[in-house]
């Protein structure tokens, strides 16, 4: 008998009833979020010591390069940016920047676009796709995230996409940290040491299919 | 209305510190109860239960159930012994159709003494005076199996002159654990050493708790370490017997 | 192998260990308390979490099949292993087929449980532990002492010395931040150069076939995205029906483990790289491991399969806080380890674990999935008694006591004699040395019993 058959033989039981599984999700206990004020709720979580992110606001997508330049200047970093191959960013004037698409092992600054964000926790939500690589967001020292204000949602249940799942669906809630030595919190363990969110008031063009 | 209650004195109080049993009787009588001490009782069986000796645990549970079932209420001056009856007798008789209902009937009327005085009788000590500062350790079984936390404090608050000072880590185990403390004496010692230090740090005159096993462990460590803190079962103070010898003091 | 008591004594004699454990577990306990206070109705959330796990355990077979089908549909390959050896053989075979010279491992307790680090070594495959604590453990050639903080037993001074001896460009400044940077420099290249990334799973999502990992360091993603092959080893109990179920469990996990609302990085991996993707592994292999879990389900330990490995039970355990994790001798320490280890390593060799517990109930109180840990430990004590593993002296002593205690008249006589004998040893109310109770009097004094038992005194008064 195969291991599979042997294990399943010992786990013979009726198939689960979908309504039973669904009933377990009714009215979940979770932190309260003021849904009329998602932006400030999100920003409050983003500023918590455990999340430790900074933020800026731009009115339109064309203001994005200037906001990034401002941030990098404040951080005494060069205007070099790992930028995802996302056509929505083509409207921006990147002429001040040295842009590249592939992250170096010691990448300084990387831009990513969050699909949504969660006010409950201050999480930024991403998926992988041909226009959204994942690795640069973890290699970089400064992770700069563009987030349309209109995309902020209330609870973690709002994060997943319906239907078939992308290769990776991931939540970033702060900077890379560790408490592995004596329980002392240190930022920038392996991944980003800085997380900077740029809120976009205006619309982000929809992705062409 | 007079209540006819039975005292289950517990084996440890019977042998080591009878005045806890007499204090319980005194407080119960003052709360309007008629107290009897059933003859057939010895030990609730907890040492066997916690050692894995189920057969002897069942034998003692049967003996105790039979001895206690004729009474209106059963009062126990120990959270862990009351917890054994209330939480573990039904488990022991889980597959015994004859004994399970008998045990359940006893469970329904078994109370830790301070919980009974406070919650069932709505009684408080009256005219009891003891000028002292005390700190209270919440023994684990009473706290987690029976929810005993506020009851002893409410009763102690009614004693004139007594002030309670909080104990850091009051809900942390003292390291007694029944046979644990003699099977793993070095670990137990490390735990009770920290407990004794926390008790000393309160600056209180008295250490109070609701379980003699824990009290003997903490008092024994405090005495070995040369501490001046004196230990009593809380019911002794509540019954107005706090002016007598503390644990380890000659009468 | 040394005995539990020998290991515990060594731990108690190590003042540095005590400091190290206290620093981390003490902080975790305090942070958890704040997080739970701030959460609306954590008690109801615990009940829900336990119910979700119980639902899965009751329907585990069908949920595993659903997960398998979903994962295969997403392009992953799924394997089943009944034992630790079988699981390791599968992983090694995948590594060899991939021509792997080095693997990057993201901390997984299941990996430790099945002995994967050792198996990789034996197969001649280089291993890079990427979690900072596991990296420390690997450099020190030790075993984890905690399931969340594997290097909890090490002080910063010890870590500093280790890094200076082993890192190519170690830290100059004596700060924990500088030490973490030294590890970052050391590990970054190793992670990017690995041929295979190996992880565990915090959750397996049945309806999508996704594998969820959580980390605060981001080392899982850095270990699993660059290599060509991603291997997951997961216990079969890690299943949840769907994402919203996982979300409830994630809320419980982070708060119980570290007091955070969520870990910094929570990732759901569904199959290998898709057409057009810029990164991600070309192959994803998932090994579903039993290793005693079906047996636990059959033999009265089903509630233990609720465990989500948060570590709250050990952080709050008075025994763990004194002896640390290594003294337990198994992969999993603390209360949950004391329940799991006899299943994994056999009761005869591990019977001490169930006894080295005061049954104070704190672990059950803080468990996010309400595992009745004291009850399960009592169950092991009963099994040990039934199987004759308890020492003869204990069996004889308890047997004699119970024989007398079930004969009340004889018991009264016995207590009278015992009281008289014990009182002979007392001085001024206290006994400093008591034969047969040296475990007590070695460290504490015993109060001298009263001259007569309660029962004797009571009857005298009644006769008056």
């Amino acid at each position: 008998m195969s291991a599979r058959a042997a294990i399943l033989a010992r786990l013979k039981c009726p198939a689960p009833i979908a309504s039973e599984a669904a009933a377990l999700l009714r009215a979940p206990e979770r932190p309260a979020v003021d849904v009329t004020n998602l932006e400030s709720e999100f920003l409050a979580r983003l500023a918590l010591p455990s999340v430790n992110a900074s933020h800026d606001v731009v009115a339109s997508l064309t203001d994005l390069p200037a906001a990034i330049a401002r941030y990098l200047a404040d951080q005494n970093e060069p205007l070099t940016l790992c930028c995802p191959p996302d056509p929505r960013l083509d409207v921006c004037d990147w002429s001040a920047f040295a842009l590249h698409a592939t992250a170096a092992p010691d990448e300084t600054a990387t831009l990513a676009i969050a699909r949504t964000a969660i006010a409950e926790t201050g999480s930024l939500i991403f998926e992988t796709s041909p226009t959204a690589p994942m690795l640069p967001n973890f290699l970089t020292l400064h992770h700069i995230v563009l987030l349309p204000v209109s995309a902020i949602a209330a609870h973690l249940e709002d994060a997943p996409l319906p239907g078939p799942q992308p290769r990776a669906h991931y939540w970033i809630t702060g900077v890379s940290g560790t408490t592995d030595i004596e329980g002392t919190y240190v930022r920038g363990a392996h991944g980003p040491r800085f997380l900077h969110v740029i809120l976009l008031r205006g619309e982000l063009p929809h992705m062409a299919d | 209305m007079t209540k006819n209650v039975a005292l289950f004195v517990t084996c440890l109080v019977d042998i080591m510190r009878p005045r806890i049993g007499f204090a319980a009787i005194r407080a119960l009588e003052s709360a309007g109860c008629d107290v009897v001490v059933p003859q057939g009782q010895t030990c609730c069986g907890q040492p066997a239960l916690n050692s894995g000796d189920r057969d002897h645990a069942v034998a003692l549970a049967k003996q105790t159930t039979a001895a206690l079932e004729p009474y209106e209420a059963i009062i126990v001056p120990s959270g862990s012994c009351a917890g054994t009856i209330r939480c573990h007798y039904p488990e022991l008789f889980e597959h015994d159709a004859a004994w399970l209902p008998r045990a359940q009937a006893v469970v329904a009327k078994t109370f830790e003494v301070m919980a009974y005085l406070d919650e069932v009788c709505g009684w408080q000590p009256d005219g009891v005076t003891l000028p002292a500062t005390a700190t209270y350790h919440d023994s684990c079984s009473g706290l987690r199996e029976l929810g005993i936390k506020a009851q002893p404090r409410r009763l102690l608050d009614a004693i004139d002159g007594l002030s309670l000072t909080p104990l850091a880590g009051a809900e942390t185990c003292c390291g007694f654990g029944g046979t644990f403390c003699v099977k793993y004496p070095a670990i137990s010692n490390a735990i009770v050493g920290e407990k004794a230090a926390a008790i000393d740090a309160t600056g209180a005159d008295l250490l109070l708790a609701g379980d003699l096993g824990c009290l003997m462990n903490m008092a024994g460590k405090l005495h070995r370490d040369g501490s001046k803190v004196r230990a009593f079962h809380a019911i002794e103070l509540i019954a107005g017997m706090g002016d007598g010898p503390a644990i380890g003091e000659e009468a | 192998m040394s005995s539990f008591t020998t290991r515990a004594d060594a731990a108690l004699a190590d003042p540095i260990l005590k400091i190290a454990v206290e620093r981390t577990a003490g902080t975790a306990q305090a942070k958890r308390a704040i997080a739970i206070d701030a959460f609306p109705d954590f008690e109801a959330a615990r009940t829900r979490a336990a119910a979700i796990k119980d639902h899965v355990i009751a329907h585990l077979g069908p949920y595993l099949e659903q997960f398998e089908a979903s994962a295969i549909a997403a392009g992953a390959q799924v394997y089943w292993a009944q034992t630790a050896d079988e699981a390791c053989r599968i992983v090694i075979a995948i590594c060899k087929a991939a021509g792997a010279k080095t693997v990057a491992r993201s901390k997984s307790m299941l990996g430790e449980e099945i002995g994967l680090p050792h198996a990789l070594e034996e197969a001649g495959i280089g291993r890079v532990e990427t979690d900072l604590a596991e990296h420390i453990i690997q450099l020190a050639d030790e075993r984890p002492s905690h399931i969340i903080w594997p290097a909890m037993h090490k002080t910063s001074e010890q870590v500093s010395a280790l890094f200076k001896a082993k890192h190519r460009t170690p830290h100059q400044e004596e700060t924990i931040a500088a030490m973490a940077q030294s590890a970052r420099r050391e590990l970054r290249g190793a992670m990017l150069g690995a041929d295979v990334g190996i992880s565990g799973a915090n959750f397996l999502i049945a309806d999508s076939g996704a594998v969820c990992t959580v980390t605060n360091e981001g080392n899982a993603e850095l270990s699993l995205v660059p290599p060509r092959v991603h291997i997951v080893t997961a216990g079969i109990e890690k299943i949840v029906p769907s994402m919203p179920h996982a979300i409830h469990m994630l809320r419980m996990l982070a708060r119980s483990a570290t007091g955070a609302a969520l870990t910094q990085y929570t990732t759901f991996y569904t199959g290998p790289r898709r057409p057009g993707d810029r990164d991600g592994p070309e192959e994803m292999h998932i090994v579903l491991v039993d290793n005693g879990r079906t047996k636990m389900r059959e033999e009265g330990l089903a509630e233990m399969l609720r465990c989500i490995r948060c570590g709250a039970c050990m952080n709050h355990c008075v025994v763990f806080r004194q002896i640390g994790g290594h003294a337990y001798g198994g992969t999993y320490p603390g209360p949950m380890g004391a329940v799991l280890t006899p299943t994994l390593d056999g009761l005869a060799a591990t019977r001490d674990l169930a006894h080295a517990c005061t049954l104070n109930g704190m672990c059950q109180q803080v468990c996010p999935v309400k595992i009745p840990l004291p009850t399960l430990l009592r169950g092991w004590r009963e099994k040990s008694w039934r199987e004759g593993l308890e020492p003869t002296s204990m069996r004889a002593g308890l047997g004699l006591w119970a024989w007398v205690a079930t004969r009340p008249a004889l018991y009264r006589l016995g207590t009278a004699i015992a009281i008289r004998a014990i009182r002979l040893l007392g001085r001024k109310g206290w006994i400093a040395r008591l034969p047969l109770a040296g475990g007590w009097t070695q460290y504490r004094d015993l109060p001298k019993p009263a001259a007569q038992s309660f029962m004797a005194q009571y009857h005298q008064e009644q006769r008056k």
Side-chain angles (χ1 to χ4, degrees), chain C residues 37-256:
Chain C
D37 275 351
F39 193 83
D41 206 348
F42 196 71
E43 190 50 33
R46 289 174 72 222
T47 304
R48 183 190 301 273
I52 290 173
K53 291 297 291 192
D54 284 350
H55 169 80
V56 169
I57 297 159
H59 304 286
L60 192 53
Y63 272 129
L64 282 165
E65 290 180 274
Q66 187 191 7
F67 172 79
E68 179 189 40
S70 314
I72 290 171
Q77 297 179 59
V78 179
Y79 310 76
W80 302 67
Q82 285 181 276
T83 64
D85 283 349
E86 199 175 350
C88 287
R89 279 200 302 274
I90 293 168
V91 173
I92 301 295
I94 300 167
C95 289
K96 291 207 163 145
K101 288 186 184 63
T102 61
V103 304
R105 252 189 100 227
S106 174
K107 177 174 100 64
S108 144
M109 288 316 297
L110 190 274
E112 299 289 336
E113 177 191 318
I114 61 175
L116 191 53
H118 179 70
L120 288 164
E121 210 159 291
E122 282 208 325
I125 298 167
R127 168 174 65 98
V128 182
E129 293 291 344
T130 62
D131 173 75
L132 177 57
E134 290 279 1
H135 171 63
I136 294 168
I137 294 297
Q138 184 176 24
L139 291 184
D141 195 19
E142 290 177 3
R143 294 187 69 183
S145 71
H146 190 287
I147 64 172
I148 300 289
W149 293 278
M152 175 191 253
H153 57 285
K154 288 222 160 329
T155 61
S156 57
E157 293 84 355
Q158 292 172 321
V159 173
S160 175
L162 188 65
F163 284 4
K164 284 193 167 153
K166 307 264 184 170
H167 282 176
R168 281 162 296 195
T169 48
H171 56 290
Q172 302 292 321
E173 201 188 322
E174 285 303 319
T175 63
I176 290 173
M179 293 172 210
Q181 288 316 301
S182 181
R184 180 186 174 112
R185 282 192 297 273
E186 189 77 13
L187 288 171
R188 180 58 67 101
M191 281 191 276
L192 294 175
D195 305 302
V196 171
I198 304 183
S199 73
N202 290 93
F203 302 99
L204 303 171
I205 317 295
D207 69 356
S208 67
V211 172
C212 173
T213 66
V214 303
T215 74
N216 286 323
E217 297 178 10
N219 63 302
E221 291 76 4
L222 282 168
S223 308
L224 306 177
V225 177
R228 206 179 61 75
V229 176
H230 176 189
I231 305 174
V232 180
T233 58
I236 54 174
E237 85 287 9
K238 291 290 179 187
I239 293 267
V240 289
S242 72
M243 276 290 276
H245 296 92
I247 286 167
H248 185 75
M249 304 312 288
L250 285 163
R251 285 191 181 109
M252 306 302 286
L253 175 60
R255 284 177 174 86
S256 300

Side-chain angles (χ1 to χ4, degrees), chain B residues 153-169:
Chain B
R153 289 174 173 81
R154 274 197 291 266
L155 295 171
L156 290 164
D157 272 346
I159 297 174
D160 285 334
L162 183 72
S163 67
L164 279 180
T165 182
L167 172 63

Side-chain angles (χ1 to χ4, degrees), chain A residues 9-10 13-14 31 38-39 89 91 96 100 103 109 147 149 155 187 194:
Chain A
R10 295 175 77 166
C13 46
L38 287 175
E39 182 183 338
L89 296 169
V91 297
H100 51 281
L147 170 69
V149 171
H155 288 106
R187 55 195 279 170
F194 305 94

Side-chain angles (χ1 to χ4, degrees), chain B residues 123-145:
Chain B
W123 174 85
Q124 288 211 322
D126 188 19
V128 177
T129 303
L130 190 75
T133 308
T135 196
Y136 194 93
H137 164 77
D138 295 283
S139 288
C140 302
S141 301
L143 176 69
R144 301 202 177 86
E145 291 186 338

